[in-house]
Each structure stands twice: as C-alpha cells, then as structure tokens.
Amino acid sequence: MIVDISDNPYIVSFSSSLQMHIRRYKYIFLKRPLGESQAAAQEHREIIRALEAHDAEGAAHLMKKNLLSL
C-alpha cells in the first residue's frame, strides 16, 4: 500500500521486481532438497568468481548452465 501511495514509478517497478524474486526464492529454492540448494549456491559462487575474474565467456556459460538446471 505504501509503495502504491508513493506514486513513484521507479519504486513501484523496483518493488514489483523484488517481490517476484522473493516469491521465486520462497516457492522454488526453499522446496528443493538441501543437496540441490547447496549445489545451486556453489554454482552462484562460481559465477561470481568468473565475474570477478572478468571472464565474460565463463560467466555466461555458468549462468546458462544454472538457469537450465532449474
């Protein structure tokens, strides 16, 4: 309600996007068995390492692999 009352398109858009990610986390990630959740977290660490190393090709490959594993 506060977001709607703000009448700020940026805040409304940002809040909507954030809520979508929270729902995804809640309904998909938390329902996975622990081993799958740990594997996903490891994949995210690998993506971050590739980004930190400025390895765009490696990061893109890892992100695609991560998305396809959902």
Side-chain angles (χ1 to χ4, degrees):
M1 183 176 193
I2 294 171
V3 171
D4 292 335
I5 292 171
S6 75
D7 197 31
N8 183 321
Y10 173 78
I11 291 174
V12 171
S13 174
F14 179 78
S15 176
S16 176
S17 176
L18 184 59
Q19 288 298 321
M20 179 184 66
H21 291 291
I22 290 169
R23 281 192 298 275
R24 181 173 184 259
Y25 176 79
K26 182 178 177 183
Y27 293 110
I28 295 174
F29 193 74
L30 290 179
K31 289 186 177 185
R32 287 179 160 184
L34 182 58
E36 287 182 27
S37 297
Q38 290 173 335
Q42 178 59 34
E43 289 177 1
H44 292 172
R45 283 190 289 273
E46 291 171 10
I47 292 168
I48 292 168
R49 280 191 213 107
L51 292 169
E52 289 173 337
H54 303 282
D55 179 5
E57 187 176 317
H61 170 75
L62 291 166
M63 285 187 267
K64 183 175 181 179
K65 178 182 165 192
N66 180 262
L67 286 171
L68 293 175
S69 70
L70 293 176

